[in-house]
Amino acid sequence: MCWVCEKYGNGEKWYLNPENYARRLYKVRKEGKEAAGADADPQAAGMGAGVVAELVKARISGDQEWEDEIKRDALEHAYQTHFGQVVTLDEYLQILDTAYPLAKMTCGCRRVQRGMPDEENFTCMGIGPGMYKWERWPETYHGGVEFVTPEEAKEWAMMNHKEGRVQTVDVFGTPYIGGLCQCEYPGCVAVRNRIDYDFKFLLKGHTVAKVDREKCTGCKSCLGRCQFKALNLEVYTNKAYIDLDQCFGCGLCVTACPSGAIELLDRQSMPGLAENW
């Protein structure tokens, strides 16, 4: 199990533990004291532009120790406040039966990185009691929110999955899960920074995808679905190939394969990948 499961899972995957969706709606603070951390601004707890700028400088300089120090310090804070993990579609749908309320909201990453207008950008899901006070952060919830039923949320999630978006759970004040994201590379800041800088603000999922070469017909239906650069086509065999070390276990390739040639395996069942998060 990943370190988050060991600490917050109660023997199961941490994002399937109902306790991690049951944060108190309000906290009593001393008079005059301002909210801090993830409570003050859910977006502020993540990997900010300043950290990315420092990483770029360190990468250009070739100073590996400097780069490692930046990541270490940033992650120490992120793991206490705001980070995410990839989940499969089935897990995502299971979460939608656990959390309440559910509210569609715009994706800050796609809005900033791709200039997506609000009306085309409702791809994230705010969940839990925190959604009752969403109006406190108008820029975070740009365009407002749309409260939905679990059935409506599932239909919406499956549509986003079909369109090729990676589905993740996100904490806002560890271990409280306050959001579900559905985004893609390079629009998603978490995915892009994990791929480009190996910044583990986004953890890999509990599964990995593997190709059954006997079933693979080389139809190429799965190509273009992988947001993590793990999927390729072997020219000399005309078969799909997945780099298991690079795979995040999102399952986007699995649901695209018409011949059922790709399956998801438990990461823990593969010794070489069991600690590769």
Side-chain angles (χ1 to χ4, degrees):
M1 304 292 281
C2 67
W3 67 267
V4 198
C5 293
E6 292 175 354
K7 194 169 183 178
Y8 302 111
N10 285 345
E12 61 180 343
K13 296 174 182 176
W14 70 283
Y15 46 80
L16 298 181
N17 178 7
E19 292 181 7
N20 295 328
Y21 298 88
R23 189 181 191 182
R24 289 170 56 188
L25 178 56
Y26 297 104
K27 290 185 177 181
V28 177
R29 292 191 294 270
K30 292 182 179 179
E31 185 176 352
K33 185 176 181 181
E34 296 295 328
D39 284 330
D41 182 355
Q43 296 286 30
M47 183 178 179
V51 176
V52 176
E54 288 297 299
L55 274 177
V56 171
K57 292 178 183 178
R59 182 68 59 86
I60 292 174
S61 72
D63 190 335
Q64 188 61 49
E65 290 186 5
W66 182 19
E67 181 175 334
D68 291 342
E69 181 181 0
I70 293 170
K71 292 177 181 177
R72 183 173 60 253
D73 292 345
L75 285 175
E76 183 178 353
H77 176 67
Y79 287 160
Q80 297 178 50
T81 54
H82 179 45
F83 66 94
Q85 184 168 26
V86 170
V87 295
T88 66
L89 176 62
D90 287 343
E91 291 171 334
Y92 199 95
L93 297 178
Q94 186 173 343
I95 290 168
L96 294 177
D97 279 328
T98 302
Y100 187 85
L102 304 169
K104 293 164 61 176
M105 56 180 284
T106 57
C107 174
C109 293
R110 301 176 83 225
R111 181 171 64 250
V112 174
Q113 303 298 324
R114 303 185 63 184
M116 297 289 291
D118 291 341
E119 60 271 17
E120 300 175 14
N121 194 30
F122 278 80
T123 58
C124 285
M125 177 73 74
I127 59 177
M131 295 312 300
Y132 288 127
K133 52 182 182 178
W134 66 270
E135 292 169 301
R136 292 188 181 186
W137 305 289
E139 288 306 310
T140 298
Y141 299 101
H142 203 279
V145 301
E146 179 186 344
F147 286 91
V148 294
T149 66
E151 291 72 26
E152 291 171 332
K154 289 178 181 179
E155 291 180 7
W156 169 84
M158 289 186 286
M159 178 273 291
N160 277 282
H161 183 88
K162 184 177 180 179
E163 292 186 0
R165 299 188 180 99
V166 176
Q167 291 162 321
T168 67
V169 294
D170 296 86
V171 301
F172 296 89
T174 307
Y176 172 66
I177 300 172
L180 303 172
C181 286
Q182 299 182 119
C183 204
E184 67 283 313
Y185 180 93
C188 178
V189 171
V191 174
R192 188 180 72 250
N193 288 331
R194 180 64 196 264
I195 297 302
D196 294 351
Y197 302 105
D198 193 31
F199 184 83
K200 297 183 179 179
F201 170 79
L202 178 67
L203 301 176
K204 294 181 178 180
H206 282 258
T207 59
V208 291
K210 188 175 182 180
V211 177
D212 184 332
R213 298 173 69 83
E214 295 298 319
K215 294 182 179 179
C216 180
T217 64
C219 70
K220 305 182 180 64
S221 296
C222 59
L223 296 186
R225 293 277 287 178
C226 183
Q227 305 291 337
F228 299 100
K229 302 181 180 180
L231 180 61
N232 297 284
L233 186 72
E234 292 183 340
V235 178
Y236 57 92
T237 63
N238 198 40
K239 302 283 187 179
Y241 169 77
I242 296 174
D243 182 346
L244 299 183
D245 190 59
Q246 191 71 14
C247 178
F248 276 64
C250 66
L252 284 171
C253 58
V254 177
T255 53
C257 180
S259 58
I262 309 177
E263 62 176 333
L264 288 176
L265 304 176
D266 184 358
R267 183 176 295 275
Q268 295 296 118
S269 69
M270 310 182 79
L273 302 174
E275 300 302 322
N276 184 354
W277 300 101

